[in-house]
């Protein structure tokens, strides 16, 4: 079954949205394969967002995801990667549709509640950063 990597960012944890966000994924029918609350190391944060290294927002993005605990998880289900991306809404929450996580709970591009792998290849790269022992 297709797997994806999802992270509830520090703003999502601070706003008390952990249950709400997980509930949405569960209610949609995705299965939780693994889940934990952690503080990222700088190395993990830079690795997760390595494709954005060198961009003007990279430093701000990395510092933001280091600003508090996050919840990382592996979800599985048919088309899990795209299903999660659609449920998240657009990167800039100002453009996100109501009914999406970002469209319902965020307004700022940095503080946009949730990360989701953007392809199956990204999921395969991101999952082992946080779940080394998981058989994927
Ligand atoms: N300030 C600023 N932040 C940006 C910009 N583009 C992306 N970001 C931030 O960097 C994160 C990663 O960017 P992308 O991977 O392109 O967007 P995404 O896939 O919707 O977001 P993630 O699921 O977190 O990876 C976004 O979630 C934003 O918080 C930008 O143009 N300006
Ligand atoms: Mg991305």
């Amino acid at each position: 079954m297709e797997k994806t990597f999802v992270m509830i960012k520090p703003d999502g944890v601070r706003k008390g949205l952990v249950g709400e966000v997980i509930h949405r994924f569960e209610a949609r029918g995705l299965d939780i394969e693994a889940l934990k609350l952690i503080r990222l190391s700088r190395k993990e944060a830079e690795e997760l967002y390595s494709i954005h290294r060198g961009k003007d927002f990279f430093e701000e993005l990395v510092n933001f995801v280091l600003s508090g605990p996050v919840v990382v998880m592996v979800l599985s289900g048919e088309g899990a990667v795209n299903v999660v991306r659609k449920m998240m809404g657009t990167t800039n929450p100002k453009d996100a549709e109501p009914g999406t996580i970002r469209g319902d709970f965020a307004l700022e591009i940095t503080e946009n509640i949730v990360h989701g792998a953007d392809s199956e290849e990204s999921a395969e790269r991101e999952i082992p950063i946080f779940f080394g022992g998981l058989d994927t």
Side-chain angles (χ1 to χ4, degrees):
M1 194 56 85
E2 187 172 309
K3 287 187 173 68
T4 191
F5 174 74
V6 173
M7 180 174 83
I8 303 175
K9 299 184 183 184
D11 57 329
V13 176
R14 278 195 285 269
K15 286 176 165 172
L17 293 171
V18 170
E20 167 77 31
V21 170
I22 293 171
H23 173 68
R24 287 184 179 215
F25 293 134
E26 283 189 301
R28 186 68 189 272
L30 295 164
D31 289 321
I32 302 171
E33 300 282 342
L35 181 149
K36 58 186 175 184
L37 180 121
I38 57 171
R39 279 175 180 275
L40 302 190
S41 66
R42 186 166 290 273
K43 187 162 172 265
E44 287 169 332
E46 290 183 350
E47 181 64 22
L48 176 65
Y49 283 122
S50 56
I51 58 157
H52 298 302
R53 194 185 290 275
K55 295 182 185 168
D56 57 356
F57 59 83
F58 181 72
E59 202 68 10
E60 185 185 359
L61 175 60
V62 166
N63 286 333
F64 170 60
V65 295
L66 291 175
S67 69
V70 299
V71 174
V72 290
M73 67 192 95
V74 177
L75 300 178
S76 70
E78 221 171 292
V81 169
N82 280 319
V83 167
V84 165
R85 292 289 295 186
K86 286 215 163 85
M87 291 177 74
M88 285 165 49
T90 55
T91 303
N92 191 335
K94 289 186 181 72
D95 303 320
E97 294 291 334
T100 64
I101 293 165
R102 289 167 172 170
D104 287 347
F105 301 117
L107 215 46
E108 295 298 323
I109 189 160
T110 300
E111 305 205 359
N112 60 8
I113 309 287
V114 70
H115 161 82
D118 60 13
S119 66
E120 286 185 74
E121 294 68 37
S122 295
E124 279 172 28
R125 191 187 71 79
E126 292 169 13
I127 289 169
I129 302 173
F130 303 100
F131 298 99
L134 209 69
D135 180 26
T136 54

